[in-house]
């Protein structure tokens, strides 16, 4: 197919809402392009290239973040949690939350939530074949709407522990919307034993954080900012942080996502390569009674 006919096919794909804006990149589609997925358009691919140029290694970071997501869901499933709310879930890719959770227990349920309607367009395929998985199009800032949506209530029993996922998401939320206050509000709905699976784009170098943030804003995406390690850690306030090493000996802090419970890799507070100035600060926290 020529690139023109490929773009025409994209425009007329019947899965997409007729009013879908394909001319401005979105976070979900750009992230899909970074991961090498097919559910994105030319402006998203251009945006993926632009962020990679601004911060070489962003593509690798996206892959490492997916690895963390997978290990996080498996770990929380092994704690006995069987229901997950995956906020800002992104487009379906490999090792999606329901696949990991259902490999531990085939009856595990997953509510995927994303602001981008394209996630629902592609998620319908999942819905068709999986009765304990659903997709909700919603803004995570509307906590009431997410938690009281019919789809959420249909799959989640709020008297039992829930795995709440905020993986590579809160940097999309500007300070004015109180990203860390939102985490508290979600946990008010959840009983003791519930867990947070969390990662956030992080830099201790203010210039690196500012340059990356400005580039994403210039590309026209609705976004928050890269935050410092201390700021990122605020998401876990009030929760008991799980040790990031598989043997449980490492200090209970957030770490570079690639080093979180990743076999024999020693957990690191940031990448050891000094050229990697931006990383996903990651961890799991549990709500105690
Ligand atoms: C970087 S992707 C992360 C996807 C997935 N959580 C992962 O880590 O692989 C961020 C996702 O959050 C979604 N998102 C951004 N702002 C959101 C909001 N206010 N409410 C719900 N979803 C949002 C985007 O559409 C995108 O799919």
């Amino acid at each position: 197919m020529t690139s023109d006919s490929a773009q025409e096919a994209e425009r007329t794909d019947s899965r997409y809402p007729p009013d879908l804006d394909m001319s401005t990149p979105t976070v979900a589609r750009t992230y899909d392009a970074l991961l090498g997925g097919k559910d994105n358009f030319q402006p998203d691919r251009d945006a993926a290239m632009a962020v990679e140029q601004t911060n070489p290694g962003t593509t690798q970071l996206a892959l490492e973040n997916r690895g963390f997501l997978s290990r996080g869901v498996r770990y929380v499933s092994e704690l006995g949690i069987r229901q997950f709310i995956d906020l800002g879930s992104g487009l379906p890719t490999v090792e999606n939350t329901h696949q990991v959770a259902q490999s531990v227990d085939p009856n595990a349920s997953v509510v995927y939530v994303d602001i981008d309607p394209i996630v629902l367009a592609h998620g319908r395929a999942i819905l068709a074949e999986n009765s304990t998985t659903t997709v909700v199009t919603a803004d995570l800032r509307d906590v009431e709407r997410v938690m009281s949506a019919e789809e959420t209530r249909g799959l989640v029993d709020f008297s039992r522990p829930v795995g709440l996922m905020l993986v590579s998401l809160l940097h999309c939320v500007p300070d004015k919307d109180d990203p860390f206050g939102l985490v508290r509000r979600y946990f008010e709905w959840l009983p003791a034993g519930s867990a947070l699976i969390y990662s956030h784009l992080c830099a201790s170098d203010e210039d690196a954080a500012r340059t990356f943030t400005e580039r994403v804003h210039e590309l026209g995406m609705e976004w928050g900012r890269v935050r410092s390690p201390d700021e990122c850690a605020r998401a876990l306030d009030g929760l008991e942080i799980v040790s990031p090493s598989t043997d449980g000996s490492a200090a209970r802090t957030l770490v570079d996502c690639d080093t979180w419970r990743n076999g024999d890799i020693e957990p690191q507070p940031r990448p050891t390569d000094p050229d990697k100035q931006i990383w996903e600060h990651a961890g799991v926290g549990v709500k105690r009674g």
Side-chain angles (χ1 to χ4, degrees), residues 68 75 240-255 259-262 267 282-286 288:
F68 162 72
Y75 174 82
E240 183 181 287
I241 299 179
V242 166
S243 171
S245 62
T246 42
D247 66 4
S249 64
R252 294 168 179 267
T253 58
L254 298 189
V255 294
T259 69
W260 189 87
R261 291 192 170 244
N262 193 0
V284 168
V286 177
R288 296 299 176 203

Side-chain angles (χ1 to χ4, degrees), residues 29 43 52 56 65 92 97-98 101 113-114 130 143-144 149 152 171 190 204 206-207 218 252 255-256 285 289:
R29 297 185 324 226
E52 176 65 31
N65 180 64
T97 299
H98 74 285
V113 179
D114 204 285
N130 202 302
V143 181
E144 282 281 331
T152 312
H171 46 248
L190 306 179
S204 40
E206 283 179 23
D207 286 341
E218 281 162 15
R252 294 168 179 267
V255 294
D256 170 20

Side-chain angles (χ1 to χ4, degrees), residues 113-165:
V113 179
D114 204 285
I115 198 169
D116 193 327
I118 201 172
V119 173
L120 176 62
H122 287 279
R124 287 214 167 92
I126 297 174
L127 284 171
E129 53 192 58
N130 202 302
S131 63
T132 53
T133 302
T134 191
V135 185
V136 180
T137 301
D139 188 329
L140 97 139
R141 292 168 288 193
D142 192 346
V143 181
E144 282 281 331
R145 149 119 179 77
V146 170
M147 297 306 244
S148 52
E150 201 178 312
E151 296 93 329
T152 312
R153 295 220 158 255
L155 285 184
V156 178
D157 172 356
F158 286 113
S159 69
R160 289 170 43 231
V162 172
L164 187 80
M165 301 173 60

